[in-house]
Amino acid sequence: ELPPKRRRENHVFERGNWLVKGKEVQPGIPELMRPDSKESYDNRLDLARWLVSEQNPLTSRVTINRFWEQLFGYGIVETMEDFGSQGFPPSHPQLLDWLAVTFSQDYDWDMKKLLKTIVMSATYRQSSEGNAEKYANDPKNRLLARGPKVRLSSEQIRDQALAVSGLLNLKMHGPSIYPPRPDVSSSFWGSWGKSDSEEQNRRSIYIFWRRTNPYPSMITFDSPSRTVCSSRRIRTNTPLQALNLLNDPVYYQAAVSLASQMQAQYPNDIRE
């Protein structure tokens, strides 16, 4: 944040044209959203205080909704990226209000207390099984008549396969890794490197990412391309995902390792 004497002038662009400058404007918070009668909010401390003000319920509501989406698969407001009039209305508005107030005032923004409250609720702990009528009337479980059943993200799918097969390397930090990739022409992948056998099995968060040519397994399982900002991922179920699990070198290696462990542990139960 620059001192007042070094701050640049900011103008309204007439009809969006940056070459045609309108009146000068100052940084601040929209008057409609101001928690008090203060004339200006011109520094970052003012902005931070406004974000967590009791008169600004949006911060706690958005935070609650994101945690809810992680636990239940869908947010109370499904369009997490849009809480405005263009987004979906909340499925349980009173619940969203209560959680937001409890989180910000009673729990003093303590995320652990919030998550404990949600996961210990009867709604979260109920069985994810449902009958034909429930699936027909509420396929997305928006009414919470059954427990959550959520597909893992692209990174979690790979990490889980490596974990159950005993191949996951839990080493933390360090440079990016280059896991095995499909056998295609080198011109397609460019300068894609190759990590050694132990490094390439580290968690997916360490995979080298090229925005113009991302790791294909991540894209197949709905990982964003990272060329644009994404607030949530759209979950799909495609034949290409099944083919990826059957043929991708990472999952093939994990299947071989898991089978070897099973054969070593239960030799009498394995048939040729």
Side-chain angles (χ1 to χ4, degrees), residues 62 65-66 69 75 77-83 231-232:
V62 170
N65 199 57
R66 290 178 180 247
E69 191 269 347
V77 177
E78 185 175 345
T79 51
M80 296 192 344
E81 69 281 3
D82 191 347
F83 262 66
S231 299
R232 62 175 175 137

Side-chain angles (χ1 to χ4, degrees), residues 178-189:
Y178 298 84
R181 81 284 191 215
D183 187 13
V184 295
S185 63
S186 58
S187 60
F188 179 80
W189 281 94

Side-chain angles (χ1 to χ4, degrees), residues 48-264:
R49 287 171 174 166
W50 170 76
L51 286 174
V52 295
S53 169
E54 291 184 1
Q55 282 72 42
N56 174 28
L58 188 60
T59 302
S60 57
R61 288 164 63 85
V62 170
T63 305
I64 290 292
N65 199 57
R66 290 178 180 247
F67 282 130
W68 193 271
E69 191 269 347
Q70 291 292 315
L71 294 171
F72 287 90
Y74 294 93
I76 299 177
V77 177
E78 185 175 345
T79 51
M80 296 192 344
E81 69 281 3
D82 191 347
F83 262 66
S85 60
Q86 299 299 315
F88 289 1
S91 59
H92 299 75
Q94 293 84 4
L95 175 62
L96 181 61
D97 291 341
W98 180 81
L99 285 173
V101 172
T102 301
F103 177 50
S104 60
Q105 299 183 15
D106 298 344
Y107 292 169
D108 195 24
W109 305 93
D110 191 322
M111 297 181 183
K112 288 186 177 181
K113 287 183 178 180
L114 169 68
L115 292 173
K116 182 178 179 181
T117 299
I118 296 176
V119 300
M120 293 188 67
S121 66
T123 302
Y124 182 81
R125 292 188 295 169
Q126 64 184 334
S127 173
S128 60
E129 296 181 357
N131 54 40
E133 182 181 1
K134 288 183 179 180
Y135 281 110
N137 295 332
D138 187 21
K140 291 185 177 182
N141 196 29
R142 302 292 290 142
L143 301 179
L144 305 174
R146 56 187 186 275
K149 186 184 295 183
V150 183
R151 181 185 291 260
L152 297 178
S153 66
S154 55
E155 295 88 351
Q156 291 172 324
I157 291 174
R158 176 181 176 274
D159 291 353
Q160 185 190 54
L162 294 174
V164 299
S165 62
L167 296 176
L168 183 63
N169 182 353
L170 295 176
K171 176 184 175 182
M172 297 180 63
H173 314 300
S176 300
I177 63 171
Y178 298 84
R181 81 284 191 215
D183 187 13
V184 295
S185 63
S186 58
S187 60
F188 179 80
W189 281 94
S191 58
W192 184 264
K194 185 178 180 181
S195 302
D196 58 48
S197 57
E198 292 187 1
E199 288 290 315
Q200 68 185 16
N201 288 334
R202 296 176 65 194
R203 291 176 56 202
S204 299
I205 192 175
Y206 297 108
I207 292 179
F208 177 79
W209 196 277
R210 184 183 289 118
R211 286 186 295 175
T212 56
N213 192 3
Y215 188 58
S217 179
M218 299 291 103
I219 299 300
T220 302
F221 289 98
D222 307 316
S223 181
S225 64
R226 303 189 187 182
T227 55
V228 295
C229 179
S230 177
S231 299
R232 62 175 175 137
R233 298 185 182 184
I234 305 301
R235 297 181 177 91
T236 64
N237 188 4
T238 68
L240 187 59
Q241 295 170 350
L243 291 172
N244 189 296
L245 294 176
L246 288 171
N247 298 287
D248 188 282
V250 172
Y251 298 104
Y252 181 82
Q253 182 185 24
V256 171
S257 177
L258 179 61
S260 300
Q261 292 183 51
M262 294 172 62
Q263 187 174 23

